[in-house]
Amino acid sequence: MPDTSTGSRGSTGNTAPPSRRTVLAAGAGVTTALALGGTAHAAAPDDRKLRALIARMTLPEKVGQLFVMRVYGHSATAPDQADIDANLKEIGVRTAAELVAKYRVGGIIYFTWAHNTRDPHQMADLSNGIQRASLSRPRGLPVLISTDQEHGIVCRVGEPATLFPGAMAIGAGGSRTDARTLGRIAGQELRALGIRQNYSPVADVNVNPANPVIGVRSFGADPAAVAGMVAAEVAGYQRGRQVASTAKHFPGHGDTAVDSHYGFPVITHTREQWETLDAPPFRAAVRAGIDSIMTAHIMVPALDDSGDPATLSRPILTGILREELGYDGLVVTDSLGMEGVRTKYGDDRVPVLALKAGVDQLLNPPSLDIAWNAVLNAVRDGELTEARLDESILRVLRLKAKLRLFDAPYVSQDGVDRNVGTPAHLAVADRIAERTTTLLVNEGSLLPLSRRTHPRVLVVGADPASPSGTTGPPTGVLATALTELGFTATALSTGTAPSAATVARAVAAAGEADAVVVGTYNVTAASAQKVLVEQLLATGRPVVAVAIRNPYDVAQLPAVRAVLASYSWTDVELRAAARVIAGRVAPRGRLPVPVQRADDPAEVLYPVGHGLSYKHR
């Protein structure tokens, strides 16, 4: 378990956490109401004590507890001037401390682009500063700090924290033990940073290869396999009450061709299809005791024909999730700034309708002032009752109590050092990654490459931006890893849409190499990446393709003799792919999704479970 003492060392932006005596004094009303014990392992407060606490809150304080908001800056009280300016423009406050003081928000979400996640010690200081700002207020409450740390292509906390393969890679590995281990270690590290709610795992079943927003964020296309992985990862995250995990995106975002960030997807599954395909992972999450479930900004007419997104649908959130699935935990919206939830209603109506539908936490509205006042006025005008707010606040406070935030809200720098990015954790991540790399094609046993017969390797391909410090670029990571394995490898970035001149440079460089490794990224029939691969093949040099995102690339590359899927371009997965290429480890991954033929999508080229290994030589 991570350290939760209040000692501090090596502070990087805020002062040391106050002593326990200071904490109790600052939040005296809270601690008196909850009758907390004197250790970090005191029993969770019961509902009677939490309701007594709610009864003393003002209406504005109650409204604030329902919101989880972004804020710019690496420090709660002294962010950079550019972050102060961004906060003033978007939120009307200067700092996180002012945000808490003005709106009494119940939660704050960390983003890399908001400059919240520079390094582990800074994050711990930021978390402590936020807690201090909230607990110093009259009737101050601890803040539930959250983030999206899915691993793979969605990460907010980067190196030197431990970074694991993403969900589809874990699905390819097929080990529920690995999924549970990921959750346990990732949760331990997040807790050490003061992050206590993780918006992971993704419980969507990805059955649409064209899905632009889920894809490799899903464990796969088989509902039972996805359900098993979701339950295992939830068990890891929630072990020892260290972090609340969040199954998303209910009622299921796996069969969409529209990104709900930018449009309004419609799922045409029948009720029977939903029960068979989409529901199993969420049912499994509920059985596993999931602490929170995130809604999807999608329309599912078979579940609610009103035309409303699921986030605003009482038949879906209350009728199905609460009553049919028996879930009584926290329901959090996906970001209220996404287009999928803003298409039909204005930003003042969305939070009110979400609460009426059964939501408990309102995540990241585009304008907190508009949303906060809309909820406040809805209660004053009688559209929402204060009792309805109390239901959701009780769930929020239950979770804070379960996570021991009332008793131990602060983290320590010593705890960061003991828990974040330790050699033992990094070694586990590497071993898990080795079990995920999938060998899809290996004609003529081209792989593994021998450093005796193919000592000079050219690495070309796409170099998408690093998922929040994980860290890349992919061609460089592969080249470095292969060099460390005894090859002489050089990197040449060619991008996702290489020009004719770029292709010509790559072909010329291939002439000096014994083999070429090309990283492909979402190849389509008209992609210039296909031209690159075809011209590299024409040189006569052996070509190995590594699909660094979607495994569906293999269908567009029929002439390539060796194709691997890494399911992400994060360093841990690319290093594992390099070890497979070099034969240091055998490929063990199996496709968790089917790959259809490029020229006939009705025909499966590689089924779920496909994956080659190396013959003994």
Side-chain angles (χ1 to χ4, degrees), residues 336-361:
L336 296 183
M338 294 166 60
E339 189 61 31
V341 78
R342 303 174 74 191
T343 300
K344 188 174 179 181
Y345 301 101
D347 292 338
D348 58 334
R349 294 298 300 154
V350 165
V352 175
L353 295 174
L355 290 170
K356 293 176 77 171
V359 158
D360 301 305
Q361 283 185 313

Side-chain angles (χ1 to χ4, degrees), residues 68-72 90-91 99 108-109 111 113 364-367:
V68 181
M69 189 60 184
R70 69 190 179 278
V71 65
Y72 291 86
E90 296 184 18
I91 315 173
L99 168 66
I108 285 178
I109 179 172
F111 289 107
W113 51 260
N364 200 27
S367 169

Side-chain angles (χ1 to χ4, degrees), residues 19 60 75 183 226 228 300 417 436 458 471 474 478 488 522 563 579:
S19 67
S75 163
V226 173
V300 189
D417 293 334
T436 69
L458 173 68
T471 60
L478 282 169
T488 301
N522 295 2
V563 182
R579 291 193 290 274

Side-chain angles (χ1 to χ4, degrees), residues 439-464:
L439 181 60
L440 302 175
V441 177
N442 194 24
E443 295 177 6
S445 296
L446 174 58
L447 292 178
L449 287 181
S450 168
R451 61 185 179 182
R452 293 184 298 274
T453 58
H454 300 88
R456 298 172 301 170
V457 178
L458 173 68
V459 180
V460 302
D463 276 333

Side-chain angles (χ1 to χ4, degrees), residues 11 48 60 96 112 130 138 152 434-435 542 558 614:
S11 179
R48 178 180 56 82
T112 307
I130 289 170
E434 288 176 353
R435 295 189 277 271
Y614 292 149

Side-chain angles (χ1 to χ4, degrees), residues 193-355:
L193 303 174
I195 298 170
R196 304 304 301 277
Q197 184 177 23
N198 190 19
Y199 298 135
S200 188
V202 171
D204 304 316
V205 181
N206 198 81
V207 295
N208 189 341
N211 194 322
V213 64
I214 304 301
V216 294
R217 298 167 62 195
S218 164
F219 288 107
D222 179 82
V226 173
M229 291 296 179
V230 166
E233 194 166 302
V234 168
Y237 272 115
Q238 298 186 179
R239 178 182 177 182
R241 304 179 183 179
Q242 56 186 7
V243 166
S245 61
T246 308
K248 61 186 185 186
H249 309 79
F250 190 81
H253 208 317
D255 191 10
T256 65
V258 175
D259 186 341
S260 51
H261 290 85
Y262 310 108
F264 187 20
V266 178
I267 306 291
T268 58
H269 293 178
T270 65
R271 175 63 192 247
E272 292 73 23
Q273 288 174 319
W274 178 82
E275 291 280 2
T276 301
L277 181 65
D278 301 292
F282 291 100
R283 291 186 186 276
V286 172
R287 287 195 298 270
I290 188 80
D291 282 324
S292 53
I293 291 178
M294 180 179 285
T295 68
H297 303 325
I298 58 175
M299 188 199 316
V300 189
L303 305 183
D304 179 1
D305 61 5
S306 68
D308 287 344
T311 297
L312 309 182
S313 169
R314 186 170 179 82
I316 291 175
L317 298 187
T318 297
I320 296 176
L321 181 56
R322 295 285 192 208
E323 296 171 0
E324 293 184 24
L325 271 62
Y327 178 65
D328 192 38
L330 203 65
V331 175
V332 56
T333 71
D334 206 341
S335 171
L336 296 183
M338 294 166 60
E339 189 61 31
V341 78
R342 303 174 74 191
T343 300
K344 188 174 179 181
Y345 301 101
D347 292 338
D348 58 334
R349 294 298 300 154
V350 165
V352 175
L353 295 174
L355 290 170

Side-chain angles (χ1 to χ4, degrees), residues 489-562:
T490 56
L492 174 62
S493 178
T494 51
T496 56
S499 66
T502 299
V503 172
R505 283 196 299 274
V507 168
E512 303 297 321
D514 301 303
V516 180
V517 174
V518 55
T520 66
Y521 184 94
N522 295 2
V523 180
T524 64
S527 173
Q529 293 179 71
K530 285 190 66 174
V531 175
L532 169 68
V533 173
E534 290 165 358
Q535 294 199 22
L536 289 169
L537 288 168
T539 67
R541 298 294 191 271
V543 174
V544 178
V546 181
I548 64 172
R549 183 165 178 164
N550 291 333
Y552 312 114
D553 288 4
V554 65
Q556 300 289 348
L557 307 171
V560 179
R561 291 171 51 200

